[in-house]
Amino acid sequence: MSKRTLFQFFHWYSLGDGRLWKEVAEKASGLAGIGFTDAWLPPAYKGASGPHSVGYDTYDLFDLGEFEQKGRKATKYGDRAAFEAACRALVDCGIRPIHDVVLNHKMGADEKEHVVVRRVNPEDRTQMEEESVDALAYTRFTFPGREGKYSQFIWDKQCFSGVDLIEEPSETGVYRLMNEYGEGQWNDEVDDELGNFDYLMGADVEFRNKAVYEELKYWGRWFSEQVPVAGFRLDAAKHIPAWFFKDWVGHMRDTIGTDLFVVAEYWHPDMTTLSNYLELVDKQLMLFDVALHHRFHDASKAGGDFDMRKIFDGSLVSSIPDHAVTLVDNHDTQPLQSLEATVEPWFKPLAYALILLREQGTPCVFYADLYGAEYSDISEDGSQHKVEMPAIGCLPKLVEARQRFANGPQLDHFDDPSVVGFVRQGTETEPGCVVVMSNGVAGQISVDLGQDLSNTVYIDYLGHHSTEVATDDQGIACFPTNGGSVSVWVRRDAL
Ligand code: CA
């Protein structure tokens, strides 16, 4: 049984014009060959910005690139037939498709409606003006291009809790929609940043409306009948009431399959917050290890000054490993994106070794790190920037090494501030490895592998070291690493 290894098959600037679904179909077998088991795909349905949408501005969940809506039939990634073909290609290669689900908000409404709103303090969402305002808001979604196919549900002002734009009077800000739900209050069981973080963007979905709730359950069932679904990545979880995802994920497991892999994007580095959230959702989900990503970012910026003994301090993978999806970068953290905290390229081989070769956590590899990425965009200072993210050369080998050598009990050697490593001892049938890395100068770690591995020759699977290492009569050897590098030592006879 292969160890679960996710590949995030996109980045923010993935090429448009329908190229991504084709690329998925083309690359599926190569990814399976390296050892990937799951592919996280971007949102497949129509976003408000149509063919330019990355997918996080949900317009119509039922339009998988099938209807003439928002300027084109296809999404940025391709049309529905290409999406189906991409999913089939993954499944044919033994890779499980994980789908991105953006339920927090909708954008690009078809019509304005008369609404009653209350102005909200954007810095403290629990503070609202006493006085209500009559205005117009973009809250009616009729999906004229789809003409009721698959679902006749019309979204209107009863389906949303807030907006950020009104007309007559024309204003932008944060506005609570006064409707039948919630007695003027936001949804609870959301993150408490800004008082209450229910509202993020667009027309914020009102989960307390039973009709909305049933429609989103129906959509999940419908979606799983259109394409193979092995799991979901749930967007913006900290803005969605925990009770909703507890119910929704339970319903999906009951109707689609008990073994669904579900990871929520609850973007928060604090372990108390994450563990409280896991309790609220009955531990039915995995969460991204945001704290570990921040450690990697900090370590990559600090160079040799970072104390590598503390690399896992405060991380999800060290406190609740069975619920941790570990990552190095993603489409939000890459340069010029909203959560930009990119890990410097020199450190990425070390970071990936730490998530791919250890016993704990479910690793997720980022597209731009495997294949590289080049793009340009406007940064916060208003100027155009060109970005080149290099492919991390040893990454395919590290993924292979995960499947071949990351076996058996783990023994840590985190004793030096710079040179750290660990041993996977292997099992009776599968070989182990010795991983050594340094964020400073070259170094080595003395490892006792035991009498069974005496006089055994090891080579660096990554090829960073051309020398061989042999254990002595007791099974002891010093395993070296170059400076700012990582080596994965494996038995020569296991190759
Ligand atoms: Ca919300």
Side-chain angles (χ1 to χ4, degrees):
M1 185 71 183
S2 297
K3 302 167 192 91
R4 194 182 280 273
T5 311
L6 275 68
F7 182 59
Q8 182 183 356
F9 206 125
F10 66 103
H11 62 100
W12 194 266
Y13 303 92
S14 288
L15 296 173
D17 297 325
R19 280 174 282 187
L20 193 79
W21 295 150
K22 283 184 200 146
E23 191 184 347
V24 171
E26 285 160 14
K27 289 190 164 139
S29 103
L31 291 171
I34 301 170
F36 285 104
T37 61
D38 296 65
W40 159 22
L41 302 176
Y45 32 79
K46 193 69 56 75
S49 44
H52 308 291
S53 168
V54 175
Y56 297 98
D57 54 346
T58 308
Y59 167 65
D60 184 1
L61 293 166
F62 290 94
D63 183 355
L64 306 176
E66 184 178 356
F67 303 100
E68 287 289 348
Q69 301 192 110
K70 301 297 172 193
R72 203 187 298 171
K73 214 162 94 169
T75 69
K76 173 180 178 179
Y77 307 116
D79 64 12
R80 178 173 161 145
F83 175 50
E84 291 175 15
C87 293
R88 273 198 310 274
L90 290 170
V91 171
D92 287 348
C93 299
I95 296 183
R96 293 170 285 224
I98 308 294
H99 300 277
D100 209 318
V101 176
V102 187
L103 301 183
N104 178 65
H105 48 266
K106 279 186 174 297
M107 297 170 101
D110 299 296
E111 295 167 27
K112 288 182 266 196
E113 290 180 295
H114 285 281
V115 295
V116 179
V117 298
R118 287 170 72 186
R119 294 188 183 92
V120 177
N121 178 352
E123 303 307 318
D124 181 353
R125 311 292 177 75
T126 61
Q127 293 178 2
M128 296 179 202
E129 288 183 7
E130 287 289 322
E131 183 197 352
S132 298
V133 180
D134 291 316
L136 293 171
Y138 288 90
T139 46
R140 193 169 165 83
F141 293 74
T142 61
F143 315 111
R146 181 158 56 79
E147 298 179 309
K149 192 172 178 187
Y150 305 132
S151 167
Q152 306 206 332
F153 194 87
I154 303 289
W155 294 68
D156 66 12
K157 61 190 173 188
Q158 297 295 341
C159 304
F160 301 104
S161 64
V163 291
D164 58 357
L165 169 75
I166 56 172
E167 292 182 0
E168 299 178 28
S170 284
E171 291 178 23
T172 57
V174 178
Y175 305 90
R176 174 75 178 100
L177 279 166
M178 297 291 114
N179 55 25
E180 292 172 26
Y181 303 97
E183 296 173 344
Q185 298 308 306
W186 296 106
N187 277 284
D188 60 3
E189 293 194 13
V190 295
D191 197 69
D192 58 10
E193 195 179 332
L194 305 177
N196 172 302
F197 219 171
D198 186 7
Y199 189 82
L200 174 65
M201 60 171 78
D204 187 74
V205 169
E206 177 52 86
F207 295 95
R208 292 167 295 198
N209 179 335
K210 194 78 182 161
V212 165
Y213 174 83
E214 290 302 326
E215 176 72 355
L216 294 175
K217 286 201 296 190
Y218 164 67
W219 175 77
R221 298 193 304 273
W222 171 85
F223 184 73
S224 73
E225 289 160 6
Q226 314 306 308
V227 289
V229 174
F232 296 110
R233 178 264 184 193
L234 306 175
D235 184 65
K238 71 181 178 185
H239 310 285
I240 293 174
W243 62 261
F244 171 77
F245 271 145
K246 186 177 84 169
D247 288 6
W248 192 84
V249 170
H251 183 69
M252 291 302 119
R253 288 227 167 92
D254 289 345
T255 53
I256 304 176
T258 50
D259 57 350
L260 280 184
F261 180 85
V262 184
V263 54
E265 181 217 18
Y266 198 108
W267 202 256
H268 210 303
D270 177 65
M271 285 314 113
T272 309
T273 304
L274 295 191
S275 103
N276 288 344
Y277 182 72
L278 282 173
E279 292 300 323
L280 288 174
V281 295
D282 271 353
K283 296 198 161 181
Q284 295 186 84
L285 315 171
M286 309 279 290
L287 299 173
F288 289 110
D289 196 342
V290 181
L292 183 63
H293 160 71
H294 286 317
R295 305 297 285 166
F296 288 159
H297 170 72
D298 293 346
S300 78
K301 290 287 183 192
D305 294 335
F306 189 89
D307 186 343
M308 287 295 283
R309 292 171 296 190
K310 299 182 171 167
I311 194 75
F312 288 110
D313 283 9
S315 66
L316 186 62
V317 74
S318 64
S319 56
I320 317 176
D322 291 347
H323 288 273
V325 172
T326 47
L327 73 152
V328 176
D329 263 326
N330 70 17
H331 63 293
D332 283 327
T333 68
Q334 72 185 97
L336 306 181
Q337 273 311 300
S338 56
L339 305 169
E340 177 175 345
T342 314
V343 176
E344 294 292 326
W346 76 270
F347 192 75
K348 283 190 171 176
L350 287 71
Y352 274 113
L354 289 169
I355 68 170
L356 287 166
L357 302 178
R358 291 175 65 78
E359 214 174 343
Q360 296 81 16
T362 301
C364 184
V365 171
F366 183 39
Y367 180 104
D369 290 334
L370 190 66
Y371 297 126
E374 280 185 35
Y375 54 91
S376 59
D377 200 353
I378 313 240
S379 69
E380 275 185 352
D381 64 15
S383 61
Q384 189 84 17
H385 286 265
K386 194 167 182 301
V387 175
E388 283 182 40
M389 295 183 70
I392 305 304
C394 64
L395 193 44
K397 282 255 171 193
L398 280 169
V399 176
E400 280 175 9
R402 169 174 174 78
Q403 298 299 358
R404 292 181 66 181
F405 307 110
N407 301 311
Q410 180 172 292
L411 278 179
D412 281 340
H413 291 265
F414 284 69
D415 309 313
D416 182 86
S418 278
V419 182
V420 296
F422 54 95
V423 179
R424 296 301 302 272
Q425 290 186 305
T427 66
E428 273 184 24
T429 52
E430 298 163 310
C433 59
V434 178
V435 181
V436 186
M437 64 185 71
S438 170
N439 68 343
V441 296
Q444 58 185 21
I445 293 178
S446 174
V447 176
D448 183 352
L449 290 164
Q451 197 80 53
D452 289 351
L453 291 170
S454 61
N455 302 308
T456 305
V457 175
Y458 283 75
I459 62 152
D460 178 8
Y461 190 66
L462 303 182
H464 293 160
H465 255 275
S466 53
T467 53
E468 293 178 343
V469 169
T471 56
D472 65 11
D473 292 344
Q474 270 81 49
I476 297 170
C478 281
F479 291 90
T481 174
N482 296 330
S485 182
V486 55
S487 287
V488 178
W489 296 96
V490 301
R491 287 168 60 168
R492 192 176 60 188
D493 62 2
L495 289 171

